[in-house]
Amino acid sequence: MVKEEKEIANRPDNTAFTQQRLPAWQPMLSAGIVIPGFVLIGLAFIGIGVALFVTSRSITVLEIDYTGIEKDSACFKCSNTDVKNCVCNLVFSIDSLFEGPVFFYYGLSNYFQNYRKYAASRDDEQLSGDLDAFTAPSDSCSPYDYNSNDKPIVPCGAIANSMFNDTFVLYRVVNGANKLVPLDGKGIAWWTDYNVKFRNPSVTPLKNAFNNTVKPIFWPNPAYQLDASDPANNGFINQDFLVWMRRAALPDFRKLYRRIADGEYAKGLPAGNYSLTIAYNYPVQSFDGRKKVVFSNVSWMGGKNEFLGIAYLVVGSLCVLMSIVMLIVYAKFKFPEED
């Protein structure tokens, strides 16, 4: 008796929803629907693929390797790790107008930023401006949490410690003289990183928040002195720091360094000769990496990416091909009731 009462209590209500009696619609697929559907989808994908591929081909990209391993490289002298404060110059030419706005990237290869321990080596509370985390960094930052004198490192962790620190100055060579090309470093980081994820401590001046702490081991300057020309671009909201802290998914990547879109260069880089002065600081030989600079413009689809257009073309072509195969099979082996 008790068992029957429990079964009645646990029984679902006698409604259309609980008893699964709601009206339902199920498509009746037939050759007259599937084959034209495949054709339409294939043609749509082919059209999108052609647009993406043609647009990607119109994007201009200039890549220059400056690792300096080769003896004929302009930066060969700087590839020696014993040479400090080395500066090298890359000279290149542009045959026609490099349409703007032009984006200036630095690129690294064989660099695994997606390595799990490397990715976890940071203190998000510290990076959000929590002063308590300044004096007691997270264990996840180890061994870059304290220095040899047991002083806390701010910002701590392997990601911050390995921040890219090569710097670049671009000149346009006009009548044998170098004319500085302005590089705009504002707004190169993600909006969410600058306004949400990273915060400076609410301490004025900012330098006081870093009392009794030390800079990362491989940094030349502390976080509050990352940009001497712009006091607002220091600390954890420094644009270059934010760009570096957003890790790359693949071992060969490039990160935005500057934009070239001001003054007479708003329409792009005019044809002519250029000289790029590089402060060569970042070592890559220890992990067989390479360094390069990349100049590129963009389109409505973003940067140059021919793979996306090719992928659409392949999928669209396969859909059309499958529709032809299904049409042949249907015409030869169709069921009698469909006559």
Side-chain angles (χ1 to χ4, degrees), residues 86-338:
C86 188
V87 176
C88 59
N89 291 281
L90 291 180
V91 178
F92 62 95
S93 60
I94 298 177
D95 298 330
S96 58
L97 175 66
F98 199 119
E99 294 185 1
V102 179
F103 294 83
F104 179 13
Y105 303 85
Y106 61 84
L108 295 172
S109 63
N110 201 37
Y111 197 116
F112 292 83
Q113 276 198 317
N114 60 352
Y115 183 59
R116 185 180 63 83
K117 288 187 177 180
Y118 178 88
S121 185
R122 58 188 287 169
D123 188 342
D124 289 325
E125 292 185 1
Q126 193 181 84
L127 296 173
S128 63
D130 186 349
L131 290 176
D132 291 335
F134 278 41
T135 56
S138 170
D139 294 338
S140 62
C141 289
S142 180
Y144 301 104
D145 47 358
Y146 295 92
N147 70 352
S148 58
N149 296 323
D150 205 32
K151 281 195 173 185
I153 298 175
V154 180
C156 70
I159 308 178
N161 185 65
S162 60
M163 179 179 169
F164 186 81
N165 59 353
D166 284 0
T167 57
F168 309 92
V169 181
L170 181 63
Y171 298 96
R172 181 185 175 195
V173 182
V174 181
N175 297 324
N178 288 339
K179 184 178 181 181
L180 181 66
V181 178
L183 302 177
D184 182 14
K186 295 181 179 179
I188 60 175
W190 284 31
W191 184 91
T192 51
D193 289 345
Y194 184 80
N195 293 280
V196 180
K197 292 183 65 176
F198 294 81
R199 281 280 188 272
N200 279 335
S202 300
V203 177
T204 305
L206 181 61
K207 178 180 179 180
N208 292 345
F210 292 83
N211 290 339
N212 300 317
T213 67
V214 294
K215 64 180 179 60
I217 299 171
F218 294 143
W219 282 26
N221 298 310
Y224 54 85
Q225 290 181 343
L226 289 177
D227 190 348
S229 62
D230 184 6
N233 188 36
N234 280 308
F236 303 147
I237 59 173
N238 175 266
Q239 293 288 312
D240 292 317
F241 176 71
L242 294 176
V243 169
W244 179 257
M245 292 299 290
R246 182 160 287 275
R247 296 172 292 106
L250 301 175
D252 298 340
F253 60 86
R254 66 185 188 185
K255 292 179 180 284
L256 184 59
Y257 181 73
R258 295 292 183 268
R259 292 190 186 92
I260 305 174
D262 294 338
E264 61 182 298
Y265 301 99
K267 294 183 178 180
L269 292 174
N273 297 322
Y274 291 84
S275 175
L276 182 66
T277 301
I278 303 172
Y280 195 108
N281 301 310
Y282 203 75
V284 295
Q285 289 85 353
S286 61
F287 56 90
D288 296 326
R290 299 194 71 89
K291 300 191 290 186
K292 64 182 178 181
V293 290
V294 181
F295 296 90
S296 175
N297 47 28
V298 297
S299 67
W300 58 270
M301 60 163 284
K304 193 177 186 69
N305 183 7
E306 293 182 358
F307 172 79
L308 187 60
I310 294 174
Y312 269 91
L313 289 172
V314 170
V315 173
S317 301
L318 288 175
C319 287
V320 174
L321 179 62
M322 287 300 299
S323 66
I324 296 173
V325 172
M326 286 189 292
L327 180 61
I328 295 173
V329 172
Y330 173 71
K332 190 173 182 180
F333 303 105
K334 60 183 178 179
F335 296 106
E337 60 268 18
E338 295 184 4

Side-chain angles (χ1 to χ4, degrees), residues 57-91:
R57 297 280 295 203
S58 66
I59 296 174
T60 306
V61 178
L62 174 63
E63 295 186 359
I64 307 174
D65 188 289
Y66 73 96
T67 311
I69 297 177
E70 298 79 8
K71 291 185 178 181
D72 58 348
S73 172
C75 295
F76 175 71
K77 62 178 181 179
C78 297
S79 62
N80 186 347
T81 55
D82 294 331
V83 179
K84 305 299 181 183
N85 301 320
C86 188
V87 176
C88 59
N89 291 281
L90 291 180
V91 178

